[in-house]
Amino acid sequence: MDEKQLVAKAQAGDFEAFAKLIEANKQKVYAFVRRLTANTEDAEDILQDSFLKAIDKIDQFRGEASFGTWLSSIALNEARVLYARKKQFDLKPIEDYLPGAGSHGDDQQDSIRLFDWQDPQSQLESDELRRTVNGAVDKLPYKYREVFVLRYIEELSVKEVARLTKQTVASTKSRILRAPLALRDMLSSTFEERYGKKVS
Amino acid sequence: MARKCPEYIENLSDYLDGGIDPELCAEIEAHLGECNNCRIMVDTLRQTVTLCREGKPETLPASLEKKLTGLLRERWRQKFGK
């Protein structure tokens, strides 16, 4: 039975059909929510509430996107409600990630070099690398982690990210760039400790 | 060239995504050939995104999975009466 048929049966009140739809999507939605929330407790609460909301709203599902995408959009709204109540710090402006940021002369700018890390896989064990990368993503403030996950993990277009996060395209683009710039900064610090001195 | 770096960085997201005007793309690439810092920035930004994409997703805890089935069935019963 394909997804369309399962949805029709679920909308007619067949729990087993709904359970199959959840079964097919729960792992992917959980991975998405866990990335968004950066902690297991919030991820579990949001997943649970999202699936319960999906039951409440099952009649409203029109099949314009896949059932999994619909579940993820419910989960995204739940996460946005939760994190809107939490205080968040802002990342630095884009230009502050450049070497020499805050200085006023070219001499000062030229005296600072970025750390050039290459092939981190060969430097760190895969488990440690995974922990390091996931830990860095988890440290991003929610509003940046959200756009980063949507754009680079879920691979949505910038316009789609803007629509889902209710931001202008320009503001979304800025957040999308600042997120990996901050991550790059955090990873550079870790790799620099491992590799030794800054390249200059 | 260093004083122009922020202007290039502003466009890096589009550049990395490949969705940039060809003229600006050529200009950025010319700049990357001359500016070591911007070249490092672009290389390591690409690696950052790749590393994050390769990260193993978290798996659904078994305890939650067990709890979910009961909760969903109960809500379903409340909504549909069966």
Side-chain angles (χ1 to χ4, degrees):
Chain A
M1 200 177 295
D2 67 17
E3 183 175 286
K4 207 173 167 184
Q5 291 169 312
L6 286 172
V7 167
K9 283 175 92 69
Q11 286 175 330
D14 182 339
F15 178 74
E16 297 311 320
F18 179 77
K20 281 182 185 163
L21 289 165
I22 291 293
E23 180 64 30
N25 292 289
K26 66 186 180 188
Q27 184 54 60
K28 190 172 186 297
V29 179
Y30 179 75
F32 169 64
V33 173
R34 177 61 185 76
R35 286 266 195 187
L36 277 182
T37 58
N39 79 75
T40 307
E41 200 177 314
D42 286 350
E44 292 190 7
D45 287 348
I46 287 171
L47 189 82
Q48 186 180 300
D49 291 348
S50 303
F51 288 176
L52 291 173
K53 272 218 166 116
I55 292 178
D56 298 340
K57 295 179 167 188
I58 187 77
D59 305 336
Q60 295 169 29
F61 178 68
R62 297 278 170 263
E64 288 152 357
S66 71
F67 195 77
T69 301
W70 184 66
L71 286 175
S72 293
S73 69
I74 294 174
L76 176 65
N77 284 335
E78 291 292 306
R80 292 179 64 77
V81 169
L82 178 68
Y83 284 90
R85 294 197 295 262
K86 296 188 177 181
K87 199 173 180 184
Q88 296 179 52
F89 64 92
D90 245 333
L91 291 176
K92 295 186 286 188
I94 289 166
E95 59 272 20
D96 284 7
Y97 287 99
L98 285 171
S103 64
H104 300 289
D106 284 352
D107 289 348
Q108 273 177 291
Q109 284 193 339
D110 287 343
S111 67
I112 299 169
R113 296 284 181 270
L114 291 180
F115 178 60
D116 191 5
W117 40 275
Q118 307 283 337
D119 190 16
Q121 280 91 346
S122 68
Q123 299 295 320
L124 297 182
E125 293 295 326
S126 60
D127 278 355
E128 187 183 2
L129 182 63
R130 197 178 72 232
R131 276 198 302 275
T132 302
V133 172
N134 286 341
V137 175
D138 288 355
K139 280 180 196 157
L140 285 175
Y142 178 77
K143 65 182 178 181
Y144 296 97
R145 193 169 58 243
E146 173 186 76
V147 294
F148 182 81
V149 170
L150 291 170
R151 178 69 191 97
Y152 291 115
I153 310 295
E154 300 297 311
E155 300 189 41
L156 301 183
S157 69
V158 174
K159 274 188 185 168
E160 186 67 4
V161 176
R163 187 184 68 76
L164 288 170
T165 58
K166 301 172 179 66
Q167 296 288 315
T168 63
V169 169
S171 156
T172 303
K173 275 188 178 182
S174 168
R175 284 186 189 182
I176 286 174
L177 180 56
R178 283 159 83 184
L181 282 170
L183 287 173
R184 198 208 73 85
D185 247 18
M186 289 187 243
L187 293 177
S188 283
S189 302
T190 304
F191 296 141
E192 195 174 342
E193 280 172 23
R194 295 296 177 133
Y195 294 172
K197 290 190 298 182
K198 268 191 176 184
V199 176
S200 59
Chain B
M1 294 301 288
R3 70 181 178 277
K4 287 186 180 175
C5 294
E7 293 162 36
Y8 292 112
I9 295 297
E10 293 277 351
N11 291 296
L12 272 190
S13 186
D14 288 339
Y15 173 73
L16 291 171
D17 291 350
I20 198 166
D21 172 68
E23 204 174 311
L24 183 55
C25 181
E27 204 184 314
I28 289 175
E29 283 176 354
H31 177 71
L32 295 178
E34 296 166 354
C35 177
N36 200 41
N37 275 332
C38 283
R39 198 262 315 151
I40 292 170
M41 180 66 84
V42 169
D43 286 351
T44 50
L45 263 182
R46 275 204 184 104
Q47 290 203 58
T48 298
V49 171
T50 303
L51 286 171
C52 292
R53 279 183 170 153
E54 286 173 353
K56 196 178 165 190
E58 297 273 350
T59 52
L60 186 66
S63 56
L64 176 62
E65 207 166 339
K66 203 174 170 184
K67 187 177 152 195
L68 267 178
T69 311
L71 278 172
L72 296 180
R73 192 176 283 279
E74 176 57 23
R75 180 66 67 98
W76 196 267
R77 198 188 56 74
Q78 287 168 7
K79 182 176 169 77
F80 290 100
K82 55 184 175 183

